[in-house]
């Protein structure tokens, strides 16, 4: 699966840099190849940015920026998709790997 929509422009990438609780890695950044890798190394896709989000507000903000830019988005949880669905060429990858915990609110039925 490749990205659909358009790659985010410079303004959208700059907006991602301003998202609190997010670390953005682009193709020109050190660590980009490691950030875009799928665990089994069978998939070789080049997203426009990998956004590692530390908390739910960072995820929401990164999704909003990507949506407003019309950019394709992929969400990577543990990075274990054999098919590589968590990464796409030209996409904004929301990387949830820093989120190693889950809190459940049974009254509101949300996690």
């Amino acid at each position: 699966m490749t990205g659909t929509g358009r790659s985010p422009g410079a303004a959208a990438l700059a907006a991602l840099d301003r998202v609190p609780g997010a670390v953005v890695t682009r193709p020109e950044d050190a660590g980009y190849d490691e950030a875009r890798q799928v665990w089994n190394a069978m998939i070789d896709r080049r997203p426009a940015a990998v956004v590692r989000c530390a908390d739910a507000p960072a995820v929401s903000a990164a999704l909003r920026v990507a949506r407003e830019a019309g950019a394709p988005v992929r969400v990577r949880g543990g990075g274990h998709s054999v098919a590589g669905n968590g990464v796409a060429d030209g996409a904004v990858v929301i990387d949830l790997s820093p989120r190693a915990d889950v809190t459940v609110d049974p009254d509101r039925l949300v996690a």
Side-chain angles (χ1 to χ4, degrees), residues 40-93:
N40 62 10
M42 292 176 58
I43 306 300
D44 186 22
R45 298 202 179 116
R46 303 189 67 78
V50 177
V51 185
R52 290 191 170 139
C53 296
D55 53 28
V59 173
S60 295
L63 285 170
R64 185 173 45 258
V65 169
R67 184 183 66 231
E68 289 171 358
V73 174
R74 296 292 181 269
V75 178
R76 181 170 54 201
H80 294 97
S81 171
V82 173
N85 293 327
V87 65
D89 291 323
V92 172
V93 173

